């Protein structure tokens, strides 16, 4: 052998085999590495199975798993068999050895090199393509289950007269099969061609025939299969036109056939189908003719036809037939799109009424009285007052409230009250000392509900709490207060073991507890502990002494995560909301069934249509399914998640939805019947915001039923930008109890406004009955404003507020010092032919970290008021006082029910100092204002000390006005430390009507 290395002597360095000890060590390490990888894979599988079993939805796990495994093996084996068979066949059809050309001499080295490993190489290639194909097919488990379990819609498309289920359930599966067939044909063709080339069946540079007869026949059949599949694709494309999306100049996004599709593309697809079938037969005929002449001519004809018939001809039709008279040509197809889109999004039954936009009533007293009964006008904006809840009701730093609170209805004394509420959830950032034990064993849950009247504030602009303190007490009665599952609870906790948990803290110290629920997965088994240690990357789970008998691990703890996991076929609403039902805190989650295969219905992107100023601002509220494109949606499922046990229940809500029926066939016994919803739960169900936002976006165009009007674009609306902030995003819809024209009583509703496209005047007021369990639930009403006159929209109303000199001056005073002014929800209420706008105004002043309601803006019929209370503002706007509400009840401070004389004297001094401060503020006398603030603080301290003495001496009936006092509705007043006495603007007296 030649010298390959080298020192001067040319000696070679021989590398010996590793020693036996080294080989044993390497083998041991290799086995351990394989075992470690296997256990990591096992840990993921095992923990998933344990979790599904713990929530009693193991059938979802097994059905999904076996479906994926079945698809993996079936399609993986089919692909491996197809490619492997064609490689074997090409090798079998190899020609005998002939005179060696230079090309064959070069290939001979490769043939000799792989000869000893042919079987292993064939196995490796087929296994690789099989694994890739199987993995791809397993991702189609939803498509398979919908196809095999599909139920009819009992609605036919207007073009082919096929049931909608064909497009929603069947066509996607056929397209997958077609794509798989193309992949198998192409890979088989490539593999066969390479094999023929390697073994001399195909020649590139050698003289004589370029291919043997056997190779010609084999490859021609594979090309024939490919062209036959293309024929099938042309045929399916005909039906695909009914669900095809395109850019339509007149309307933008469009789904379904247009004139050019029905009169050019559709016949073109049929002709191309016939040509492809003939071309495929010509390829198959090479088995006998042994020439590629006719197949190549046929294939060229097919390609030319695809260019001329499939591309050029439709363009000519569009240019010379459609564009000169587009509205007349497209009108019949637009009507089909209008009907299908309205049906697919549940807006077909929308009630559109003309609404004058101004009142003819001369009796101002009647209008003033009607304003009190037309709606429960919410002054507590749930998107602003969360910091106020946090400051007044957080109690401990390790509790927190969501950025956006929720609105619900609760009854007291037989009367419904719109209520703003939030849960006091665990906030790990506020734990005194973060470590593994504190984060996962001691601080494990939140505690209690905090609720306030939505329509009322006290004299200092604070919420009037109806559920408050820790433990929580108030109007909601007795219920399980621990919150182990919530929107802010994203970390795992280990509970129920030897380590006690902090339940809550009060004046007597920490109260501990141990979780008694059956939720979570037991860590009694060493296998389970090892699996979770690997799955969570936390070795201490294996050996920690804090884990023992009864320990259970809780994870996947947000309501959205839990519902998504047990029902992966549902699209989950972006906002779960809590309710106290039957003595338990239940998270209510709205879930949707969707498809993008509804013929003629225009598509929408859920992430775009559900975004608004709240979702854009610091990601305060999640949006649904960011880029999920659909053209059919139903709120088919209402789900609940128990805040203590984590139990998930799915209830069938839309009993007619064929998509839900299909999934219920695929996953039997996972969705409960609608009749099993208790009356207590039904009282808290509502129409979901995300669905309404999708529908209102569609209504900007699809409120019209006439094709000519739709095409002209003269009636296009838009959702206005939120005028209360500078986000530039759409105004969110608002929940509000209100009466529409013709109604006899208020109904809990979800409302929004519409403006003309590119303008700021009002086009329509849109609302949907959000009160579940009532006959009118889900009915969308549109009050359409006249186009011949201008009615101010939200942006113009906000501009009027800001430009009114007296209001602007008041706002400037409120912003004095370090104060910030925040505008609350701009509510729109139809009133006697006109529109009443109401907007609460909040102030954060100086060191005050939370907003207080200070003023209320009201406008109606061109008259605007900016007053301390809603009642006063309505009086100013209508020039009359209410005959139904006593003036003394208008937004006054809720006084203690009983107070000892010493405390009362101090409170009288505090009120006097407060009034002096307000008078000095109006005059701009900052020195007098500072003295009044000092007197106010002294008086409040005297009241606190006097009350403390009274409590200590056992004085009965004295309410704790300093710290935990009660208002006349049972809610607490704030402690002196929370009194907004640090800035000129923060003492402005404010209430509500």
């Amino acid at each position: 052998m030649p010298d390959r290395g080298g020192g001067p002597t040319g000696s070679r360095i021989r590398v010996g085999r590793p020693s036996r000890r080294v080989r044993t060590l390497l083998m041991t390490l290799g086995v351990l590495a394989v075992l470690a990888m296997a256990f990591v894979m096992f840990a993921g599988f095992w923990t998933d199975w344990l979790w599904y079993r713990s929530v009693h939805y193991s059938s979802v796990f097994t059905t999904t798993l076996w479906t994926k495994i079945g698809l993996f093996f079936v399609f993986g084996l089919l692909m491996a068999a197809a490619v492997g068979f064609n490689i074997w066949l090409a090798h079998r059809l190899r020609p005998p050895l002939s005179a060696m050309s230079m090309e064959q001499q070069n290939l001979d080295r490769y043939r000799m090199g792989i000869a000893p490993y042919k079987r292993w190489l064939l196995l490796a290639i087929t296994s690789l393509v099989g694994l890739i194909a199987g993995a791809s097919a397993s991702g189609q488990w939803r498509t398979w289950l919908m196809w095999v379990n599909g139920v009819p819609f009992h609605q036919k498309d207007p073009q082919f007269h096929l049931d909608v289920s064909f497009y929603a359930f069947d066509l996607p599966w056929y397209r997958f099969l077609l794509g798989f067939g193309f992949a198998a044909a192409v890979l088989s063709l490539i593999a066969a061609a390479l094999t023929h080339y390697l073994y001399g069946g195909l020649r590139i540079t050698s003289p004589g025939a370029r291919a043997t007869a056997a190779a010609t026949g084999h490859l021609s059949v594979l090309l024939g299969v490919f062209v036959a599949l293309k024929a099938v694709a042309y045929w399916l494309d005909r039906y695909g036109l009914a669900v095809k999306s395109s850019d339509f100049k007149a309307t933008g996004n469009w789904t379904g056939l247009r004139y050019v599709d029905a009169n050019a593309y559709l016949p073109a697809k049929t002709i191309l189908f016939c040509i492809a079938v003939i071309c495929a037969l010509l390829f198959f005929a090479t088995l006998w003719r042994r020439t590629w002449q006719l197949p190549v001519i046929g294939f060229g004809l097919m390609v030319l036809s695809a260019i001329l018939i499939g591309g050029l001809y439709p363009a000519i039709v569009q240019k010379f037939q459609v564009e000169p008279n587009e509205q007349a040509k497209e009108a019949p197809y637009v009507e089909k799109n209008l009907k299908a889109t309205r049906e697919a999004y549940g807006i077909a039954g929308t009630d559109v009424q003309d609404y004058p936009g101004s009142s003819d009533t001369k009796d101002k007293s009647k209008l003033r009285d009607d304003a009190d009964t037309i709606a429960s006008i919410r002054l507590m904006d749930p998107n602003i007052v969360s910091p106020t809840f946090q400051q007044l009701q957080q109690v401990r730093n390790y509790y927190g409230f969501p950025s956006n609170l929720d609105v619900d209805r609760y009854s007291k004394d037989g009367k419904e009250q719109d209520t703003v509420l939030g849960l006091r959830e665990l906030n790990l950032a506020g734990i005194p000392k973060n470590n593994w034990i504190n984060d996962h064993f001691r601080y494990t849950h939140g505690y209690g509900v905090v609720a306030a009247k939505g329509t009322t504030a006290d004299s200092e602009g604070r919420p009037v709490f109806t559920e408050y303190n820790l433990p929580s007490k108030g109007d909601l009665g007795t219920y399980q207060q621990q919150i182990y599952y919530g929107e802010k609870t994203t970390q795992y906790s280990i509970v129920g073991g030897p380590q006690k948990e902090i339940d809550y803290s009060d004046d007597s110290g920490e109260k501990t507890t141990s979780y008694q629920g059956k939720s979570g997965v037991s860590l009694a088994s060493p296998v389970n502990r090892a699996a979770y240690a690997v799955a969570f990357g936390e070795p201490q789970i294996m050996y920690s002494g804090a884990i023992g008998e009864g320990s259970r691990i809780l994870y996947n703890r947000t309501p959205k995560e839990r519902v998504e996991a047990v029902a992966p076929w549902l699209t989950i609403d972006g906002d779960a909301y809590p309710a106290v039902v039957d003595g338990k805190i239940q998270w209510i989650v709205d879930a949707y069934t969707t498809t993008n295969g509804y013929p003629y219905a225009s598509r929408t992107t859920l992430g775009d249509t559900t975004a608004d100023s709240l979702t854009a601002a610091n990601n305060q509220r999640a949006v649904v399914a960011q880029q999920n494109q659909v053209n059919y949606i139903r709120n088919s499922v209402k789900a609940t998640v128990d805040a203590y046990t984590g139990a998930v229940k799915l209830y069938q809500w839309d009993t007619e939805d064929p998509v839900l029926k299909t999934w219920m066939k695929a996953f039997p016994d996972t969705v409960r019947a609608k009749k099993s919803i208790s009356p207590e739960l039904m009282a808290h169900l509502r129409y979901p915001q995300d669905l309404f936002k999708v529908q209102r976006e569609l209504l900007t165009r699809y409120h019209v039923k006439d094709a000519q009007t739709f095409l002209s674009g003269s009636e296009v609306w838009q959702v206005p930008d939120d005028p209360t902030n500078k986000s530039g995003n759409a105004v969110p819809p608002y929940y509000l109890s209100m009466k529409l024209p013709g109604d006899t009583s208020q109904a809990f509703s979800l409302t929004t406004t519409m403006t003309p496209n590119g303008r700021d005047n009002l086009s329509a007021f849109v609302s949907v009955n959000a009160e579940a369990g009532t006959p009118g639930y889900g009915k969308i009403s549109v009050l359409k404003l006249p186009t011949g006159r201008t009615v101010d929209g939200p942006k113009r109303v906000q501009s009027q507020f800001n430009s009114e000199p007296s209001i602007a001056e008041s706002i400037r005073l409120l912003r004095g010092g370090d104060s910030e002014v925040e505008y609350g929800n701009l509510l729109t209420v139809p009133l006697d032919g006109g529109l009443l706008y109401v907007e609460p105004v909040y102030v954060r002043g100086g060191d005050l970290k939370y907003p207080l309601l200070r003023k209320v803006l009201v406008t109606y019929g061109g008259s605007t008021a900016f007053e301390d209370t809603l009642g006063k503002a309505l009086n100013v706007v209508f020039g009359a006082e209410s005959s139904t509400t006593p003036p003394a009840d208008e937004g006054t401070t809720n006084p203690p029910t009983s107070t000892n004389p010493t405390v009362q004297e101090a409170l009288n001094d505090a009120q006097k100092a407060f009034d002096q401060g307000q008078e000095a503020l109006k005059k701009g006398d900052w020195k007098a204002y500072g003295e009044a603030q000092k007197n106010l603080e002294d008086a409040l301290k005297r009241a606190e000390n006097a009350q403390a003495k009274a409590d200590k001496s056992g004085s009965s009936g004295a309410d704790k006005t300093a710290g935990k006092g009660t208002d006349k509705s049972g809610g607490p007043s704030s402690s002196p430390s929370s009194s907004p006495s640090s800035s000129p603007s923060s003492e402005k007296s404010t209430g509500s009507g």
Side-chain angles (χ1 to χ4, degrees):
M1 291 184 66
D3 185 5
R4 298 189 182 275
T9 62
S11 62
R12 291 180 295 166
I13 299 176
R14 301 186 64 178
V15 180
R17 295 177 60 190
S19 67
R20 185 174 181 180
R21 180 179 298 179
V22 172
R23 292 200 306 271
T24 303
L25 177 61
L26 291 175
M27 186 175 296
T28 302
L29 292 175
V31 170
L32 291 176
V34 171
L35 290 176
M37 292 175 62
F39 189 78
V40 169
M41 296 173 63
F42 167 78
F45 166 81
W46 185 242
T47 53
D48 284 347
W49 161 248
L50 291 174
W51 186 87
Y52 275 96
R53 192 174 64 175
S54 74
V55 294
H56 308 294
Y57 281 90
S58 55
S59 63
V60 174
F61 179 80
T62 54
T63 299
T64 304
L65 178 64
W66 286 117
T67 302
K68 290 179 177 180
I69 291 174
L71 291 172
F72 177 86
F73 278 105
V74 169
F75 287 95
L77 290 174
L78 284 175
M79 181 65 76
V83 175
F85 172 77
N86 281 283
I87 293 175
W88 172 84
L89 183 59
H91 180 265
R92 183 70 178 269
L93 297 175
R94 68 189 183 279
L97 293 177
S98 58
M100 299 295 287
S101 65
M102 185 61 67
E103 181 180 16
Q104 289 303 308
Q105 289 178 6
N106 291 331
L107 290 173
D108 189 53
R109 288 182 297 174
Y110 294 103
R111 286 195 291 266
M112 293 177 63
I114 67 174
Y117 311 105
K118 283 192 295 187
R119 291 185 180 180
W120 292 107
L121 186 60
L122 177 63
L123 180 62
I125 293 173
T126 54
S127 298
L128 179 61
V129 297
L131 286 172
I132 295 173
S136 176
S138 66
Q140 297 294 322
W141 64 271
R142 290 181 177 86
T143 308
W144 161 261
L145 288 176
M146 292 183 77
W147 178 67
V148 78
N149 295 287
V151 301
F153 277 67
H154 300 295
Q155 293 174 328
K156 297 184 183 295
D157 78 282
Q159 181 66 39
F160 302 101
H161 308 293
L162 296 173
D163 192 271
V164 172
S165 61
F166 171 79
Y167 301 94
F169 307 140
D170 299 343
L171 191 58
W173 178 249
Y174 297 153
R175 282 176 163 167
F176 163 71
L177 291 179
L178 185 64
F180 178 83
F182 274 123
V186 170
L187 289 176
S188 298
L189 182 63
I190 294 172
L194 289 174
T195 305
H196 279 298
Y197 176 69
L198 183 63
Y199 287 95
L202 287 178
R203 300 180 179 90
I204 298 177
T205 62
S206 299
R210 298 297 184 187
T212 63
T216 300
H218 184 194
L219 297 179
S220 295
V221 169
L222 290 176
L223 287 170
V225 170
F226 179 86
V227 176
L229 290 172
K230 188 61 180 176
V232 176
Y234 281 133
W235 189 257
L236 289 181
D237 284 348
R238 297 168 69 254
Y239 302 110
L241 292 172
V243 290
K244 183 193 72 172
S245 288
S246 59
D247 186 26
F248 189 11
K249 181 174 63 176
T251 62
N253 183 36
W254 172 273
T255 300
L257 283 84
R258 291 155 48 193
Y259 180 90
V260 69
D261 296 311
N263 294 278
Y265 280 111
L266 187 57
K269 297 293 183 183
T270 306
I271 294 171
L272 290 171
F273 164 77
C274 296
I275 294 174
V277 170
I278 296 171
C279 186
L281 293 175
L282 291 175
F283 274 108
F284 294 142
T286 56
L287 284 173
W288 297 275
R289 294 181 55 85
R290 303 297 184 180
T291 176
W292 284 17
Q293 185 176 4
L294 286 178
V296 170
I297 293 174
F299 188 78
L301 176 63
M302 187 180 74
V303 173
L304 182 62
S305 300
I307 296 172
L308 296 179
I309 303 174
L312 185 59
Y313 174 62
I316 293 172
V317 171
Q318 177 69 23
K319 181 69 175 179
F320 296 102
Q321 290 191 33
V322 178
E323 290 185 6
N325 193 15
E326 187 173 51
Q327 290 203 5
K329 296 289 187 183
E330 301 289 11
Y333 304 96
V334 169
E335 289 178 358
K336 297 174 184 178
N337 178 269
L338 284 170
K339 182 180 179 181
T341 303
R342 290 168 63 86
E343 178 61 36
Y345 289 94
I347 57 177
T350 301
D351 179 27
V352 181
Q353 306 176 35
D354 289 331
Y355 192 72
S358 61
S359 175
D360 295 330
T361 301
K362 304 300 182 184
D363 188 350
K364 300 299 183 182
S365 296
K366 180 180 181 304
L367 283 174
R368 176 63 183 87
D369 291 342
D370 289 345
D372 284 335
T373 60
I374 197 69
S376 298
I377 297 175
R378 181 168 37 78
L379 298 179
M380 289 290 105
D381 186 344
N383 308 310
I384 286 185
V385 298
S386 178
T388 308
F389 274 53
Q390 188 87 359
Q391 183 69 24
L392 301 181
Q393 286 296 316
Q394 179 188 21
V395 183
R396 294 290 182 265
N397 287 337
Y398 49 81
Y399 294 130
F401 294 93
S403 300
N404 302 95
L405 302 176
D406 291 289
V407 178
D408 204 346
R409 300 142 294 153
Y410 286 88
S411 296
K412 185 177 182 182
D413 300 328
K415 184 179 179 181
E416 292 281 344
Q417 169 69 48
D418 285 5
T419 303
V420 176
L421 76 161
L423 301 189
R424 195 184 282 113
E425 294 191 50
L426 180 66
N427 175 27
L428 285 178
I431 293 178
K433 184 178 181 180
N434 287 99
N435 55 53
W436 190 63
I437 294 295
N438 277 349
D439 291 355
H440 299 288
F441 290 83
R442 287 179 54 77
Y443 295 91
T444 60
H445 59 279
Y447 207 95
V449 178
V450 176
K453 293 181 179 181
T455 57
T456 307
D458 69 10
S459 63
E460 293 187 11
R462 297 171 298 195
V464 176
F465 292 105
T466 59
E467 188 76 11
Y468 51 91
N469 286 357
L470 186 69
S472 296
K473 62 181 180 179
D475 294 349
L476 300 185
T478 302
Y479 57 93
Q480 176 63 261
Q481 296 202 19
Q482 286 100 334
I483 302 162
Y484 282 87
Y485 295 89
E487 289 182 303
K488 298 172 71 69
T489 313
T490 56
Q491 80 290 342
Y492 71 88
S493 290
I494 299 175
V495 298
Q499 177 66 58
K500 292 293 184 180
E501 310 160 44
I502 294 177
D503 206 17
Y504 64 90
S505 301
D506 59 15
D507 294 338
S508 61
E510 290 182 349
K511 307 293 182 181
T512 61
T513 188
S514 185
Y515 183 66
Q516 300 300 313
K518 301 300 181 184
S519 181
V521 178
S522 172
L523 293 178
S525 165
V527 175
N528 289 1
R529 293 178 67 166
Y532 279 103
V534 171
F536 289 166
E538 184 49 72
Q540 293 187 75
I541 295 178
M542 278 285 295
Y543 54 79
S544 174
I547 301 175
E549 185 67 27
S551 291
R552 309 180 72 85
I553 185 167
L554 312 181
Y555 61 105
N556 286 352
R557 298 171 69 183
T558 69
K560 189 172 185 289
E561 281 179 329
R562 296 182 78 77
V563 177
E564 279 180 333
V566 303
W569 35 273
L570 291 173
T571 299
I572 310 303
D573 191 271
D575 182 34
Y577 59 96
V580 177
V581 180
D582 296 326
K584 300 176 181 178
I585 300 174
Q586 297 282 352
W587 288 98
I588 300 175
V589 183
D590 286 288
Y592 310 106
T593 48
T594 62
T595 178
N596 65 353
Y598 197 100
Y600 272 101
S602 290
R603 288 184 172 86
T604 187
T605 302
L606 292 182
D608 294 338
T609 53
T610 57
D612 57 31
S613 61
L614 296 182
T615 62
N618 301 320
N619 295 317
Q620 289 181 328
R621 185 177 180 276
V623 298
V624 57
Q626 287 281 355
Q627 296 303 319
N628 192 7
Q629 271 215 338
V630 305
N631 67 352
Y632 172 94
I633 185 169
R634 290 289 186 274
N635 177 212
S636 52
V637 171
K638 300 283 188 181
T640 62
V641 177
D642 192 293
Y644 183 76
T645 67
V648 181
K649 296 179 181 178
L650 308 176
Y651 296 97
Q652 183 182 17
W653 185 246
D654 189 332
T655 57
E656 302 299 323
D657 177 28
V659 181
L660 177 60
K661 291 179 180 178
T662 295
W663 287 118
M664 289 175 68
K665 281 182 63 180
F667 296 95
D669 303 323
T670 56
V671 181
R672 303 169 184 237
K674 186 176 183 178
K675 62 183 179 182
S676 61
I677 299 176
S678 68
E680 292 79 10
L681 175 59
M682 184 69 77
H684 295 283
L685 300 182
R686 67 191 191 190
Y687 201 83
Q689 277 184 294
D690 283 340
L691 176 60
F692 184 61
K693 286 191 280 190
V694 171
Q695 291 173 324
R696 73 172 180 177
E697 183 66 31
L698 270 295
L699 281 171
T700 59
R701 287 186 178 274
Y702 288 91
H703 63 277
V704 301
K705 299 179 181 180
D706 174 66
Q708 298 295 336
T709 306
F710 184 84
L711 285 167
S712 70
S714 60
E715 289 289 325
V716 175
W717 299 340
Q718 67 180 14
V719 179
D721 292 342
D722 192 343
T724 65
N725 58 59
K726 298 179 180 180
S727 68
N729 296 93
V731 62
Y734 296 120
Y735 286 107
L736 192 66
S737 292
M738 56 173 293
K739 285 193 297 187
L740 287 176
D743 291 347
T744 57
S745 60
Q746 292 184 11
F748 194 61
S749 304
L750 193 54
T751 67
T752 191
T753 53
M754 299 283 195
T755 59
N757 193 25
R759 298 172 61 191
D760 295 326
N761 55 293
L762 200 65
S763 288
F765 174 83
V766 183
S767 66
V768 61
N769 187 322
E771 197 161 343
T774 62
Y777 173 83
K779 180 183 177 183
I780 300 176
S781 299
V782 177
L783 301 182
K784 185 179 178 183
L785 280 300
T787 56
R789 54 186 298 268
T790 299
V791 179
D792 291 338
K795 188 173 182 179
R796 286 192 175 187
V797 169
Q798 188 70 47
S799 297
Q800 289 176 7
F801 286 158
N802 297 337
S803 61
E804 185 80 22
S806 59
I807 295 177
E809 178 61 20
S810 299
I811 294 292
R812 187 186 67 79
L813 289 175
L814 289 175
R815 286 196 174 115
D818 296 329
S819 299
E820 297 179 6
V821 171
E822 297 182 32
Y823 293 102
N825 37 221
L826 179 57
L827 301 176
T828 308
V829 180
L831 174 62
D832 194 50
L835 291 159
L836 177 69
Y837 286 95
V838 179
E839 183 177 59
V841 178
Y842 299 83
V843 174
R844 293 183 194 237
D847 295 332
L848 195 64
K849 303 301 182 184
Y850 59 95
L852 297 175
L853 180 66
R854 288 309 186 197
K855 290 285 187 177
V856 182
L857 285 161
V858 175
T859 185
Y860 182 83
S863 178
T864 301
F866 186 59
E867 299 295 332
D868 293 345
T869 68
L870 175 61
K872 290 180 180 178
L874 292 173
N875 291 345
V876 171
V877 164
F878 294 108
E881 293 190 357
S882 172
S883 62
T884 59
T885 304
D889 189 47
E890 188 183 286
T892 57
T893 303
N894 296 310
T897 53
S898 63
T899 311
N900 67 60
T902 305
V903 173
Q904 187 61 59
E905 181 180 346
L907 288 176
N908 291 337
D909 292 343
Q911 183 63 48
K912 181 178 178 180
F914 176 80
D915 293 338
Q916 290 173 346
Q918 295 304 300
E919 188 66 29
L921 179 63
K922 291 180 180 179
K923 295 179 180 179
D925 188 344
W926 301 112
K927 182 179 179 181
Y929 179 80
E931 293 176 355
Q933 294 300 296
K934 186 176 183 302
N935 294 336
L936 174 61
E937 185 176 356
D938 292 340
L940 289 174
K941 285 183 179 179
R942 283 191 285 114
E944 182 180 15
N945 294 333
Q947 185 65 60
K949 289 180 181 179
D951 291 342
K952 189 173 181 179
S953 63
S955 177
S956 61
D959 289 345
K960 298 180 181 180
T961 55
K964 296 183 182 177
T966 59
D967 59 37
K968 62 184 177 184
S969 67
S973 60
S974 303
S975 64
S977 60
S978 298
S979 180
S981 58
S982 57
S983 74
S985 61
S986 62
E987 286 292 346
K988 199 69 176 174
S989 177
T990 307
S992 72

